[in-house]
Amino acid sequence: MLDWAKAQAGIMRYKPENILLYDIIKESIYIIRNSAEAKNIDLKVLCDKSTEVFADKSMIAAVIRNLVTNAIKFTERNGEVIVSSEKNNQDVIITVKDTGIGIKEEKFSKLFRADFDFSTFGTENEKGSGFGLSVCKDFIQKNGGTIKVKSKQGEGSSFIITIPLSKQN
């Protein structure tokens, strides 16, 4: 949320560069791994180590941290969270998938909106701010990408983001 506030205030500038996606994902997960360990959640990264994207490193790291933190928050003990990626012609598609409690379809339209307080308690009463997904949407759009959700209550959720592949020098 602090990164988003800085971006809104013009303090955090959009600085895209070619970055290795795998490194950003691993660093982001390393920061929050204790939350997963506390719930015995298996965190997996299934990404090509050589995939480069053209994006703002800080913004993409914040998005990955937020999505994985949410996945952990809404996944029961002994569950699983998988971060995967695949390339298409122009973009990289990153998916954060969990085996959590899922989201009711009627709530999808409110997930990415800053004008709704969409804070929900996690499986062990973890609390959030309610702003995380709107920040993710803002950061992904600033990087020329998209974000969407697929979820079924009781079966887990997948948050799918796209960001541009690296620019060739």
Side-chain angles (χ1 to χ4, degrees):
M1 197 154 72
L2 181 59
D3 287 338
W4 179 77
K6 287 179 183 176
Q8 294 301 308
I11 298 167
M12 182 180 179
R13 302 258 186 244
Y14 170 66
K15 295 182 268 186
E17 61 183 315
N18 289 335
I19 53 175
L20 284 172
L21 179 63
Y22 181 82
D23 291 349
I24 299 300
I25 292 170
K26 288 300 275 189
E27 288 170 17
S28 298
I29 287 176
Y30 181 79
I31 292 168
I32 56 177
R33 74 191 184 292
N34 290 340
S35 298
E37 290 171 0
K39 292 175 77 172
N40 200 35
I41 292 173
D42 189 19
L43 281 176
K44 293 182 181 173
V45 177
L46 305 175
C47 299
D48 183 328
K49 291 182 179 181
S50 65
T51 299
E52 282 191 354
V53 295
F54 185 71
D56 182 290
K57 182 178 180 176
S58 296
M59 289 182 182
I60 298 305
V63 169
I64 297 298
R65 276 192 313 272
N66 188 277
L67 294 178
V68 174
T69 297
N70 283 351
I72 293 166
K73 176 178 171 182
F74 295 107
T75 297
E76 299 281 356
R77 287 183 170 278
N78 304 311
E80 182 177 68
V81 174
I82 301 170
V83 182
S84 62
S85 69
E86 62 182 276
K87 292 186 219 180
N88 65 19
N89 292 333
Q90 301 158 329
D91 299 311
V92 175
I93 302 158
I94 304 162
T95 303
V96 178
K97 180 178 175 33
D98 64 57
T99 58
I101 59 176
I103 304 165
K104 292 180 183 178
E105 191 171 342
E106 61 265 19
K107 294 188 178 189
F108 286 8
S109 64
K110 298 177 184 175
L111 285 177
F112 301 105
R113 294 180 54 184
D115 59 338
F116 279 95
D117 180 12
F118 196 73
S119 184
T120 308
F121 288 98
T123 58
E124 295 190 3
N125 291 318
E126 303 98 327
K127 177 83 171 104
S129 68
F131 285 107
L133 292 176
S134 64
V135 172
C136 288
K137 180 180 178 185
D138 184 45
F139 281 0
I140 291 300
Q141 287 178 334
K142 277 184 170 56
N143 282 278
T146 63
I147 185 168
K148 64 182 179 179
V149 63
K150 291 182 181 178
S151 185
K152 189 166 184 184
Q153 196 169 16
E155 294 183 19
S157 301
S158 292
F159 283 82
I160 302 113
I161 61 176
T162 62
I163 48 178
L165 282 167
S166 65
K167 293 194 176 199
Q168 302 302 316
N169 296 329

